[in-house]
């Protein structure tokens, strides 16, 4: 079930999602890191970050809100400890980086670009731009593109740079086009959507950070729509689908909508073996439809009804 | 930082689920978990069934385990109905299937010497102390217990405590049993009388904070099992943090699922739980991921 | 539990949501139309509309997608049959209108403006603008404002015009400001968010209309966040909160975030008595917190912690 | 347009839930619904329990009702496990609580004269025909039944049909019982033999369409109970529509929950179900609500 995304081959199309697998270590009791698609690491910033005050999460119907605030050790500790460990495990490390300014992204890229064993770099652009009134990079096509080009310059040519998009925009296709022009090799879609919950006792926002990112199956239709729209506009661009994937069929939906691979986030909290289990289930879903490789179903939902050979094989 | 024990994920069968005072006592067949359990560790249970809208597991201290038996190894927890997940758990019947991950987290540290120990439990927080008491007695430690709760029906394990401990003191907020007041009403005298150099505690945060303070005043160590909202329970999400001072003197936001739930009482910044204290490593972050 | 929104008094703060209660008739076996906050009617267009091809719905985790395509009898039949019937029942009719062009909204407004018994007009601006490449009015502050002013002109002064916002925008506050400047009396927030699902057999989009609107508890955190942001920016603007409300506590969350009233949509499909039941439950939630009227909690989540008297009364 | 019967919403108790061949036969205590039920109407059941992610009710034809009994009035349905909702229903045990709304929709229209009638059921579609047969016999109509299914185990109610009907014909796709073929393999001869002026049918859309065509050819009327995906079941959402020609000759997208589920077979545009046929009132809409 290997797949290629932006020139890199992964053992399966199912990866962990950034921030939902730390740097992989804690999942080893539950799955084989070398056998899953990739370990996308928690977004790392230049310096160590304490993150936000608790409460950092609220459960919501078929979803959750989080407001972690990118807690992490900073890039140097990450490159010294986590990355080499992942490489030693035989995992495919996709390193996620996050910054507060163009300069920070550029510097992160420079350091990650020098580290051995990186399969791909994912750029989390859902961060406030401290140089632009705290506006989130991902919500502005121009700023988003600038971050990607700043990052791209620091990363060796053979390592793809994936831009991770936010769904919280009026027109995701415009952002997608901008980051591709900025030099992205592919797109990770989508990050969480901004949400809020109220605490029943205080009647104040339940999260320490007031608003937080909504994730989980609740947002799957929204994430799928984003993938659908971008694939429809740019079918040649590699897409990694993310958002509420819990089963092999969910993963298949993303492939059909146009993703070449997927990431599993929140579901890992329910079932820490999710990234491996979803791949197994996807294998069965493909077999059921007599598809020999995941590639075959990528974007199939865009073909006119009846033109795909896959349909006839299913009996559900 | 490190996963102390290799947790297992088990699809277990419910053996029994009984009311005990204000609580529910749930026994699940979960082979393999018993063998790995050390006092103070916990389990995370999936709630709501297959098509539930509740995505996150619920965590519970391990009350007892049996490595084997007619049905295979079992794990027992004691819980209060707090919301929709525990409500669902309370409705489980013998034979139902329950998905359990455990044991998780770091256990209580045991003393090297056979010293007298004081164990303080608030409400269902007493549950994990009985396994601890067994281990302590095995090492020749005298075990003294303090049980506290809002009211009599919210005490857990009083008979068991009386049967197995050297001494038992009880406090209730309303005075319905034992001393009227908090566990810390009786704790100073007990530490004095027993000369215990270490206090183990499990219960609400406010109680832990007070116990840690009393212990510190008396020159005793404390080991406190905390309860923070956890999304994953296994160390990957960073939701369950609280400010803890490390060996190097630096305060960090530390995961209570993998670095806890048991912490040294003198290391937790109790007054600043729910904040990022100034001076914490990496604080204050300008901007950042929502 | 009466509330006032934009100058009109409603028996309770809990209304039906447009498209989820038809014109009220079918709910009479399950609730008393005169006793609920208001009946917000299905968006009506100038002419009769057949709507889209089926399938028109897909169940999703804690939500659903719909693609009805505004099926309806057209404004004249509505004003001749449905509205007088509602008025006769003693219900508070909030008439929702939808159009494909400025002219259509203006004409609808003119006709609704002449009809007796209308409590308020809600303008569904989540419609493609046929004069602007099919771009949805609600996604463009300028076009959204133009629709509202065109509508406002046709409606008598004493009847409030509520602009119903879409959450599918980068910055909802900008749209809110624009429609208020365009003459809106208040805001209904939010409409569905665009989503997609794939059919397991055909691997094509499951909805006849390809994409559809996501609704239900899944989107509640998103809807609450929109209300929170707009109230924070414009606390004086009346807001009706909508999105995933299923219980009295859900309604309370919206009030605390800044809504003066709420609408219950998808939940009605699960429990047709929802608009009445949610009001009953809200009454208990308020009593639990010793709030004498719903007004007291409106926006309370924005006050600094500890400054509200409500907190102390709760023991949960 | 109109709600023919006043449906009730009842929190009922499951009396029994048994396997019958490929189906499940569920009996729920739901006082009040029985009295209002007429053949062809249906119930909508909430699935998944209180904290489920499944928001929408599932609809089922009413198989039988009893107005009273030791436990109060009951409603019975027969269902196949099709997905996660019916899977959940299949797991219900006696004593469980189930939220039921019904009866919903318009019933079969009964003939004024005591004419012979043919009742055609596909798979579980036979279930609502037994109540209809009772009413028809009360009016002096001779009842002839045709039962069809993919295979023998998917036939429902064969013994009951044999016991209560004047004649019974069976067809299976695989020939495992009765005639190999579809119900329409046997229908023309049966219509011929009985001279029945009306055919009642319930089953998959393809079957209904074929039955309606055969009836029309033979100059008989048909009454078909359709099955369209329904979000609300009570007429407020407009998801359950299909193209139907009205008395005025105009085609409209008509709700199958309130204007159906029973339609005159000659009025449904069977070939265009799933589309908005050209010429439908209000079609084609330019733009519109997603
Ligand atoms: C390490 C640990 C050990 C625990 N041991 C026990 C025990 O032995 N017995 C017992 O009764 N309870 C124990 N708890 C608390 C128990 O986990 C919560 O009562 C339970 O999660 C509440 O779930 P709910 O769905 O009923 O409540 P809801 O309020 O509906 O839950 C909503 C969300 O908040 C989380 N949450 C709510 N309250 C708490 C809490 N107090 N602690 C952590 N998360 C919470 C839930 O996990 C869930 O994700 C323990 C918690 C932790 C972290
Ligand atoms: C008027 C009416 C009468 C019916 N009578 C019977 C009966 O007597 N026995 C029986 O076994 N089934 C009957 N059905 C079909 C039954 O409602 C579906 O099998 C059931 O809804 C499937 O639910 P699920 O969760 O198992 O499937 P899923 O595929 O998981 O359901 C997903 C969604 O699609 C809808 N859906 C899926 N299949 C159908 C379908 N065939 N018809 C309508 N909605 C569907 C569900 O209601 C749900 O909202 C009837 C349907 C209607 C409309
Ligand atoms: C607790 C948590 C932390 C997250 N942290 C990050 C992060 O650091 N960087 C990032 O790009 N995305 C982060 N995300 C977003 C996920 O990677 C993913 O895009 C999103 O959760 C949607 O997928 P899911 O529904 O499968 O979780 C985080 C999500 C959660 C739930
Ligand atoms: C089946 C369906 C039809 C709808 N039709 C309309 C409509 O005609 N006009 C409108 O403004 N909103 C319409 N909506 C949106 C709802 O009014 C509401 O804004 C949205 O569903 C969110 O609320 P909920 O989660 O409570 O359903 C519709 C929603 C559904 C589910
Ligand atoms: S609960 Fe996820 S890291 Fe502790
Ligand atoms: S199912 Fe809602 S109108 Fe028919």
């Amino acid at each position: 079930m290997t797949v290629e995304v932006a020139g890199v081959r992964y053992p399966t199309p199912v990866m962990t999602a950034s921030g939902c697998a730390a740097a992989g270590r804690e999942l080893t009791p539950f799955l084989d890191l070398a056998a899953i698609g990739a370990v996308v690491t928690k977004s790392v910033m230049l310096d160590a970050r304490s993150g936000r005050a608790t409460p950092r999460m609220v459960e919501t119907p078929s979803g959750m809100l989080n407001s972690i605030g990118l807690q992490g050790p900073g890039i140097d500790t990450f490159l010294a400890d986590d990355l080499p460990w992942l490489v030693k495990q035989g995992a495919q490390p996709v390193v996620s980086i996050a910054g507060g300014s163009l300069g920070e992204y550029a510097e992160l890229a420079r350091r990650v670009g020098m580290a051995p064993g990186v399969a791909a770099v994912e750029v989390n652009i859902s961060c406030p731009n401290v140089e632009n009134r705290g506006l989130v990079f991902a919500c502005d096509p121009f700023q988003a593109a600038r971050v990607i080009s700043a990052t791209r310059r620091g990363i060796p040519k053979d390592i793809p740079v994936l831009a991770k998009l936010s769904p919280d925009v009026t027109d995701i296709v415009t952002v997608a086009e901008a980051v591709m022009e900025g030099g992205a090799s592919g797109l990770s879609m989508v990050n969480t959507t901004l949400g809020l919950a109220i605490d029943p006792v205080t009647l104040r926002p339940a999260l320490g950070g007031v608003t937080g990112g909504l994730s989980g199956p609740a947002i799957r239709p929204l994430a799928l729509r984003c993938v659908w729209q971008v694939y429809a506009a740019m079918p040649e661009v590699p897409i990694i689908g993310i958002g509420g994937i819990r089963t092999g069929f969910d993963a298949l939906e993303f492939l059909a909508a146009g993703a070449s691979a997927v990431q599993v986030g929140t579901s890992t909290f329910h079932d820490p073996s999710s990234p491996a289990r979803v791949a197994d289930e996807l294998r069965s879903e493909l077999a059921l439809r007599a598809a020999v490789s995941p590639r075959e179903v990528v974007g199939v939902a865009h073909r006119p009804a009846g033109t795909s050979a896959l349909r006839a094989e299913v009996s559900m | 930082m490190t996963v102390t024990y290799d947790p297992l994920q088990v699809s277990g069968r419910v053996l029994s689920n009984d009311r005990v005072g204000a609580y529910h006592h749930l026994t699940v067949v979960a082979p393999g978990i018993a063998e790995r359990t050390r006092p103070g560790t916990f389990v995370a249970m999936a709630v709501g069934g297959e098509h539930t809208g509740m995505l996150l597991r619920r965590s519970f201290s391990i009350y007892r385990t049996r490595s084997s038996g007619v049905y295979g190894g079992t794990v027992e927890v004691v819980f209060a109905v707090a919301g929709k997940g525990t409500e669902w758990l309370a409705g489980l019947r013998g034979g139902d299937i329950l998905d359990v991950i455990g044991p998780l987290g770091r256990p209580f540290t045991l003393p090297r010497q056979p010293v007298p120990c004081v164990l303080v439990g608030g409400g269902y927080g007493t549950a994990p102390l009985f396994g601890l008491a067994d281990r302590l007695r095995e090492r020749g430690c005298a075990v003294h217990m303090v049980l506290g709760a809002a009211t009599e029906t919210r005490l857990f394990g009083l008979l068991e405590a009386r049967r197995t401990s050297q001494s038992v003191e009880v406090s209730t907020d309303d005075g319905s049993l034992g001393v009227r007041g908090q566990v810390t009403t009786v704790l100073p005298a007990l530490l004095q009388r027993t000369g215990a150099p270490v206090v183990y505690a499990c219960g609400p945060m406010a109680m832990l904070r007070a116990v840690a303070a009393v212990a510190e005043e008396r020159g005793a160590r404390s080991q406190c099992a905390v309860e923070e909202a956890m999304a994953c329970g296994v160390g990957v999400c960073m939701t369950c943090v609280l400010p803890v001072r490390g060996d190097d003197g630096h305060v960090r936001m530390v995961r209570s699922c993998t670095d806890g739930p048991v912490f040294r009482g003198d290391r937790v910044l109790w007054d600043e739980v729910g904040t990022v204290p100034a001076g914490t490593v990496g604080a204050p972050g300008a901007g950042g991921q929502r």
Side-chain angles (χ1 to χ4, degrees), chain A, chain B:
Chain A
M1 262 222 313
T2 64
V3 287
E4 201 203 277
V5 183
V8 175
R9 198 151 269 289
Y10 300 93
T12 84
V14 186
M15 312 172 171
T16 66
S18 180
C20 301
R25 221 182 288 253
E26 293 81 356
L27 293 184
T28 52
F30 306 103
L31 48 71
D32 175 2
L33 292 178
I36 63 174
V39 177
V40 183
T41 56
K42 168 85 187 160
S43 298
V44 65
M45 300 191 78
L46 210 47
D47 301 318
R49 297 253 304 189
S50 65
R52 298 251 170 75
T54 52
R56 288 181 171 185
M57 69 100 171
V58 186
E59 194 184 51
T60 67
S62 296
M64 67 175 282
L65 288 165
N66 87 79
S67 149
I68 308 296
L70 290 179
Q71 176 169 351
I75 188 68
D76 291 338
T77 305
F78 173 83
L79 294 178
D81 296 352
D82 296 325
L83 182 61
W85 182 87
L86 269 175
V87 172
K88 212 174 99 201
Q89 306 301 307
Q92 281 283 52
V94 174
V95 177
S96 170
I97 58 170
S101 65
L102 284 186
E104 191 172 349
Y105 280 104
E107 179 58 21
L108 279 162
R110 206 183 53 78
R111 299 204 203 170
V112 174
M114 294 187 309
V118 174
V121 174
E122 186 176 90
V123 192
N124 176 358
I125 54 176
S126 295
C127 302
N129 182 351
V130 296
E131 293 163 348
N132 185 19
R133 295 170 295 135
L135 288 185
V136 171
F137 293 101
C139 293
D140 178 342
F142 177 68
Q143 296 294 345
R146 288 181 73 202
V147 168
I148 297 303
S149 28
T151 306
R152 177 70 274 182
R153 275 193 292 277
I155 309 281
K157 282 269 160 318
D158 57 325
I159 299 178
V161 171
L162 305 163
K164 184 160 178 185
L165 304 189
S166 163
D168 293 341
V169 294
T170 308
D171 180 7
I172 197 151
V173 172
T174 308
V175 185
E177 283 167 352
V179 295
M180 289 311 295
E181 271 168 36
S185 327
L187 304 169
S188 296
M189 296 175 59
V190 291
N191 213 315
T192 53
T193 176
L194 199 64
L196 180 101
I198 300 289
D199 181 85
V201 177
T202 63
L203 290 189
R204 294 254 321 141
L207 291 171
V210 182
T211 55
L214 182 64
S215 64
I219 68 161
R220 192 168 65 232
L222 173 61
L224 261 174
R225 181 264 296 175
C226 291
V227 170
W228 167 273
Q229 288 178 326
V230 170
Y231 184 89
M234 305 186 284
E236 69 292 349
V237 171
I239 297 174
I240 301 177
I242 320 167
I245 295 172
R246 200 181 61 84
T247 69
F249 178 71
D250 301 342
L252 182 68
E253 280 193 285
F254 277 89
L255 298 190
S260 300
V262 298
Q263 296 176 10
V264 174
T266 304
S267 174
T268 314
F269 305 161
H270 182 88
D271 170 11
S273 76
S274 289
R277 177 183 52 74
V278 169
D280 289 343
E281 292 174 3
L282 176 60
R283 199 172 281 115
S284 313
E285 295 285 351
L286 291 171
L288 189 66
R289 290 165 179 86
V292 266
S293 96
R295 257 241 70 75
E296 247 182 281
V297 296
V298 174
V300 77
H302 294 262
R303 297 192 211 143
T307 60
S308 156
L310 295 165
R311 180 194 178 141
E313 313 295 334
V314 199
S315 75
M316 296 185 90
Chain B
M1 200 90 298
T2 53
V3 180
T4 315
Y5 300 94
D6 253 14
L8 289 180
Q9 182 170 0
V10 179
S11 183
R13 196 169 282 277
V14 172
L15 209 55
S16 62
N17 195 11
D18 306 317
R19 286 210 66 129
V20 183
Y23 304 114
H24 297 259
H25 173 193
L26 174 68
T27 305
V28 192
V29 179
I33 295 187
E35 293 77 353
R36 294 155 197 246
T37 298
R38 293 220 234 148
T41 57
F42 66 98
V43 287
M45 295 173 165
V47 294
E50 204 189 343
H51 303 293
T52 180
M54 294 188 273
L55 293 188
L56 304 177
R57 286 175 182 263
R58 275 37 178 184
S59 297
F60 302 94
S61 304
I62 296 172
Y63 165 40
R64 272 198 308 231
T65 60
R66 294 193 209 283
S67 327
S68 70
V70 222
Y71 304 100
T74 56
V75 173
E76 299 172 47
V77 302
V78 173
F79 67 93
V81 171
K84 51 199 190 316
T86 43
E87 196 181 293
W88 182 86
L89 282 173
L92 287 177
R93 297 179 273 196
D96 287 343
I97 295 295
L98 187 64
D99 187 314
V100 184
I101 295 180
L104 294 165
R106 294 188 176 190
F108 290 111
T109 304
L110 304 177
R112 280 166 222 264
Q113 307 297 326
V115 295
C117 298
V118 169
L119 280 55
V120 183
Y124 57 72
T126 320
L129 301 181
F130 294 107
L132 172 66
D134 290 346
R135 291 288 181 100
L136 291 171
R137 272 189 301 269
E138 281 165 27
R139 303 188 159 218
C141 300
V143 171
H144 303 272
M145 287 184 94
V146 182
L147 274 60
T151 187
E152 183 179 350
T153 53
R154 303 208 144 257
L155 290 165
F156 176 77
L158 184 55
L159 289 182
E160 188 170 354
R162 290 215 168 111
R163 210 172 53 236
T164 58
S165 304
Q166 198 100 346
S167 79
V168 178
E169 309 237 14
V170 172
S171 73
T172 51
D173 296 359
D174 64 357
S176 52
L177 200 77
V179 173
R180 178 192 300 262
Q182 264 86 55
V183 291
T184 42
T185 315
V186 300
L187 187 59
L190 182 62
L191 286 179
Q192 177 85 35
R193 175 162 67 77
T194 58
V198 54
V199 182
Y200 295 94
C202 182
M205 288 304 236
M207 182 200 98
L208 298 179
R209 171 182 165 198
V211 168
V214 168
E216 205 157 347
E217 268 166 35
R218 304 265 145 189
R221 294 208 156 205
S222 62
Q223 290 260 317
C224 299
V226 306
E227 206 182 286
E228 271 290 339
M230 296 178 174
C232 76
V234 302
V236 295
C237 74
M238 307 303 286
T239 59
C240 62
V241 298
L242 72 181
V244 175
R245 194 176 302 279
D247 291 334
D248 59 2
H250 288 303
V251 176
R252 288 183 183 78
M253 299 303 283
V254 159
R255 290 169 297 184
S256 57
C257 65
T258 45
D259 296 319
V262 178
F263 291 101
R264 274 177 53 176
D266 59 339
R267 292 293 181 83
V268 177
L269 279 68
W270 298 105
D271 293 339
E272 296 178 274
V273 169
T275 72
V276 178
T280 301
V281 172
Q289 162 86 357
R290 59 217 189 188

